[in-house]
Amino acid sequence: MENFSRLPRYPFTRAMIEHAPDGFGVYGLFEGGELVYIGRATRGMSIKACLEMHLDGVLGACTATATHYTWELGQWPSARETELLNAFGKAHGREPRCQGFQADVDQAIERGARHVRNRLTDPNERRFEAVKEEDGR
């Protein structure tokens, strides 16, 4: 957890998420200095795609209000996520505030994966994305 907490943090905005990796790994969402969510990108979903879904509120209102994010690439994201959640629980006696039920997040990511792929071919969605970028999110 210590190494993960020391990783660079980036503003949780659409413009900064564009620079997030297209690979697999784990990521953390922060509200101010508080780590509120630890997630993983697996099964064809990149870290960037997962962050976009959080920003859009697809994965819940709690994570959509994050202010910063960090990420770590890796071959075994599920194992690393478990390791980070265990370390967080040991240090704080609880899960991160926005963690919720992982099964629900997994289902939303499955729905979101189709949404992210479809968004690229729908001109109305691109127009919506451009409008959302103007307000900084």
Side-chain angles (χ1 to χ4, degrees), residues 19-135:
H19 301 286
D22 286 318
F24 305 125
V26 294
Y27 57 92
L29 298 176
F30 297 84
E31 193 167 316
E34 178 190 5
L35 179 61
V36 297
Y37 185 82
I38 298 169
R40 68 181 182 273
T42 60
R43 296 184 295 184
M45 289 298 298
S46 69
I47 290 173
K48 181 191 295 186
C50 290
L51 292 171
E52 288 174 340
M53 288 190 294
H54 283 287
L55 186 66
D56 291 342
V58 174
L59 301 178
C62 188
T63 58
T65 62
T67 58
H68 292 81
Y69 72 93
T70 193
W71 53 266
E72 178 183 284
L73 293 173
Q75 289 186 308
W76 308 105
S78 295
R80 181 65 171 141
E81 178 193 40
T82 299
E83 177 185 356
L84 291 169
L85 287 170
N86 286 340
F88 186 95
K90 194 173 191 178
H92 301 281
R94 61 177 175 79
E95 288 186 327
R97 179 167 47 90
C98 297
Q99 202 63 37
F101 296 101
Q102 192 59 50
D104 293 339
V105 171
D106 288 343
Q107 289 174 356
I109 287 174
E110 287 298 321
R111 288 191 306 274
R114 288 187 290 276
H115 171 71
V116 169
R117 282 192 290 272
N118 291 340
R119 182 175 67 199
L120 300 176
T121 60
D122 185 343
N124 294 324
E125 286 288 331
R126 266 185 261 141
R127 188 168 42 253
F128 177 71
E129 289 292 313
V131 169
K132 288 182 77 174
E133 286 177 15
E134 290 173 14
D135 73 0

